[in-house]
Amino acid sequence: DPAQPITIILDGPNYLRWSSAMTSFLKGRKLWRIVTGDNPAPVKRPDETDDSFADRLEDWDSTNHRILTWFTNIYVPSVMHFSRFDLAKEAWDFLASRYTSADLAHQYQLVSTLNHLRQESGQSIDEFHSQMSYYWGLLAVSEPKWHSLSELISEETRCLSITSQQSPFIIAATSSAPPHRSDNSKRPRCTHCHRIGHTVKTC
């Protein structure tokens, strides 16, 4: 077995690509069920000898630690320390919980990137198609975790709010509104997308 089974090195932001490639690699070697926990460490059967059980446990533990070694060989050390885990499932679950907790923001970023993607001057159609396919592939990998449209809109609103707070002078310079703060207390607020200025009926 290769010491570095896939070419993608996990650095954090590329978790979706890494996990997709690693999943394919493990499934191709019939080891995926160890990572999911569907194939846990063996338990001694009532009619089994100690030697037979020890052999089965050793085989399983060898495979489990082989997967942990693969994980260790294809990540940036600052991401995490795999030495703290004794089970491949624990390491996999930790990475999934750590890097999919910001999944909504990541999906919004991918959608936004696709929305603004344009064919550059001199760029061939094949190159542009490959570029688009890359981002669509990332979205396809995260498809089971898709949130509702209203949540993506809320994420967009949150990102715009952060931008506004960080760039008050730019906002003031480009705004055509008067310098005083507008009173939004009397304006309707949509209960679907939480934006001010319309209701859910016209959202």
Side-chain angles (χ1 to χ4, degrees):
D1 291 331
Q4 186 173 318
I6 60 177
T7 58
I8 302 172
I9 304 299
L10 175 62
D11 59 12
N14 68 345
Y15 169 75
L16 290 177
R17 289 181 59 212
W18 179 88
S19 63
S20 177
M22 196 66 194
T23 298
S24 179
F25 172 80
L26 292 171
K27 286 182 176 180
R29 282 151 184 78
K30 299 182 180 181
L31 302 176
W32 177 239
R33 296 177 70 242
I34 289 183
V35 173
T36 62
D38 294 326
N39 182 11
V43 177
K44 186 179 179 182
R45 296 188 292 262
D47 59 344
E48 188 176 22
T49 65
D50 291 341
D51 288 342
S52 175
F53 171 66
D55 288 342
R56 288 199 304 120
L57 181 61
E58 185 177 36
D59 288 342
W60 184 92
D61 198 43
S62 173
T63 303
N64 172 67
H65 278 83
R66 190 187 317 152
I67 297 173
L68 280 172
T69 300
W70 285 332
F71 288 173
T72 302
N73 290 344
I74 50 175
Y75 82 107
V76 175
S78 60
V79 171
M80 66 178 293
H81 295 288
F82 284 100
S83 58
R84 60 189 283 196
F85 300 105
D86 193 50
L87 296 176
K89 182 184 186 309
E90 293 176 345
W92 185 269
D93 289 347
F94 173 83
L95 288 171
S97 64
R98 178 173 181 178
Y99 291 109
T100 58
S101 60
D103 190 55
L104 179 59
H106 180 68
Q107 288 175 353
Y108 167 75
Q109 183 183 20
L110 289 175
V111 171
S112 179
T113 299
L114 278 166
N115 187 47
H116 292 89
L117 203 59
R118 299 290 184 273
Q119 186 175 0
E120 302 292 338
S121 176
Q123 185 181 31
S124 69
I125 294 178
D126 284 341
E127 290 174 338
F128 181 62
H129 180 266
S130 297
Q131 189 178 12
M132 287 193 67
S133 297
Y134 167 74
Y135 289 107
W136 278 116
L138 293 181
L139 279 174
V141 171
S142 62
E143 186 175 351
K145 310 180 192 72
W146 265 103
H147 299 259
S148 66
L149 179 60
S150 61
E151 288 178 300
L152 286 175
I153 293 174
S154 296
E155 178 63 23
E156 178 187 33
T157 304
R158 185 187 69 82
C159 292
L160 290 174
S161 175
I162 293 174
T163 303
S164 299
Q165 293 172 9
Q166 292 176 342
S167 310
F169 298 106
I170 296 176
I171 299 300
T174 58
S175 175
S176 59
H180 60 81
R181 182 179 299 176
S182 61
D183 183 11
N184 291 323
S185 60
K186 297 180 181 179
R187 300 180 65 190
R189 177 183 291 270
C190 178
T191 58
H192 177 67
C193 70
H194 307 294
R195 289 186 172 183
I196 297 173
H198 66 274
T199 64
V200 67
K201 292 182 180 180
T202 58
C203 182

